[in-house]
Amino acid sequence: MGSARVGKTAYLAALIDFLGRENAKKKLFPLVMGTLEDEKGNFFRENILKAYQAGKPIEKTNISNEEMVPLASFLLEVCGKKVIVTFIDMPGEAYSPDEKEATNEKYDFIANKRRACKNASAYILCIAPEQIDMVIKEKEKGGADSAADDIDKILENIAHSVKLVNMKSAETPTAVVLTKSDKIKDYNFYDPNERFEDLIEVNEEGQFFLADKYLRITEEIGEYLDAGHVKPVEGKIKSIFDKFNYFT
């Protein structure tokens, strides 16, 4: 979830790239990732994942052709249990509709895409720094790749969408991701040298997730969101989702 140009597609590519790396399999937990070969999966891999891995710009999600919306499924084996994980990359227009949509042919397309949320096992809500950080917003004013949509309206629309598709959607586990974390590298919680593997402790008894260390990171993100130059959004997020946590 999230409006246009917040970096949803890039984040999804980064996430899938990370899960598929050899070091992730060894250091996080026993994980085997295999691609399910289908038309949309092939499109995602060839047009998005490879572009990300090559350091090239990723094209904006296309909303004119339903078949071209990135949707990728993967077979994951975690600790011996096999599951199929499907990622749906929602176009930002699904959460920032304008009043003209009702007379636009893309209206039905966007409405259908919102219904995909109904059966979601989890949500990833992406927020770009320039949507909430007034300093960054002023610096990037009018930038071509800057997320310009008003975050209050976006959250109101997401709240409406969540309630519309399923009243229990508020209970769905949600990752609130601050994307484009290079823009907020000056804040304490961002360390470009720190990797998720640093949250795993390995000893003679096995592997353990260092929850206390992770919680300190989320608390630091919370402190950033409480800063005077950052637009207050935590209250609205809490009113939409019962179960969420912060990531960058």
Side-chain angles (χ1 to χ4, degrees):
M1 297 177 167
S3 59
R5 295 185 174 82
V6 295
K8 297 188 300 296
T9 306
Y11 178 78
L12 183 54
L15 178 62
I16 291 173
D17 175 65
F18 178 80
L19 289 176
R21 282 191 228 149
E22 286 300 316
N23 64 336
K25 296 176 188 177
K26 293 174 183 175
K27 294 184 180 180
L28 293 182
F29 37 69
L31 181 150
V32 179
M33 185 173 190
T35 304
L36 295 182
E37 299 291 340
D38 58 27
E39 186 179 354
K40 291 187 178 182
N42 289 335
F43 174 84
F44 181 88
R45 185 176 65 251
E46 294 300 317
N47 295 276
I48 296 170
L49 186 58
K50 285 188 176 180
Y52 169 79
Q53 292 169 335
K56 297 179 180 178
I58 295 175
E59 291 187 15
K60 185 186 178 307
T61 300
N62 190 334
I63 67 164
S64 62
N65 181 346
E66 184 171 354
E67 292 305 310
M68 302 306 277
V69 171
L71 184 153
S73 292
F74 294 88
L75 179 65
L76 283 179
E77 184 175 336
V78 184
C79 300
K81 182 180 179 181
K82 293 182 179 180
V83 292
I84 293 175
V85 180
T86 300
F87 295 100
I88 300 176
D89 186 11
M90 301 283 282
E93 285 78 5
Y95 301 109
S96 54
D98 57 46
E99 295 174 358
K100 299 176 183 176
E101 264 187 15
T103 59
N104 194 309
E105 62 181 11
K106 72 181 182 182
Y107 177 79
D108 288 339
F109 166 76
I110 290 174
N112 285 333
K113 281 298 158 192
R114 282 193 192 131
R115 292 193 195 102
C117 300
K118 184 173 183 178
N119 298 312
S121 302
Y123 297 134
I124 301 176
L125 168 60
C126 293
I127 298 174
E130 63 265 28
Q131 290 183 299
I132 57 173
D133 192 313
M134 297 302 105
V135 176
I136 296 174
K137 185 175 183 178
E138 187 61 31
K139 191 185 302 181
E140 297 195 359
K141 205 168 186 178
D145 293 321
S146 189
D149 291 309
D150 183 274
I151 190 63
D152 290 329
K153 290 182 179 178
I154 294 301
L155 290 176
E156 286 172 11
N157 194 267
I158 286 176
H160 177 69
S161 297
V162 166
K163 291 175 182 175
L164 195 64
V165 296
N166 189 344
M167 291 303 291
K168 290 185 178 180
S169 292
E171 301 172 8
T172 303
T174 302
V176 180
V177 178
L178 299 187
T179 55
K180 306 179 183 180
S181 52
D182 56 306
K183 294 184 179 182
I184 43 179
K185 61 181 179 295
D186 295 332
Y187 297 97
N188 292 334
F189 60 82
Y190 179 80
D191 180 356
N193 298 314
E194 187 171 54
R195 297 291 179 263
F196 186 76
E197 290 93 327
D198 297 332
L199 297 174
I200 304 294
E201 181 180 284
V202 181
N203 58 38
E204 63 275 5
E205 295 181 8
Q207 294 186 113
F208 300 92
F209 181 72
L210 302 178
D212 289 346
K213 185 175 181 180
Y214 168 71
L215 287 173
R216 283 199 298 275
I217 295 173
T218 65
E219 287 168 1
E220 288 171 353
I221 296 173
E223 289 174 7
Y224 165 74
L225 293 175
D226 285 337
H229 65 284
V230 176
K231 199 165 189 176
V233 293
E234 189 169 29
K236 290 192 175 184
I237 294 172
K238 283 181 177 178
S239 70
I240 302 172
F241 303 106
D242 294 334
K243 301 175 182 177
F244 76 90
N245 221 329
Y246 292 119
F247 299 82
T248 60

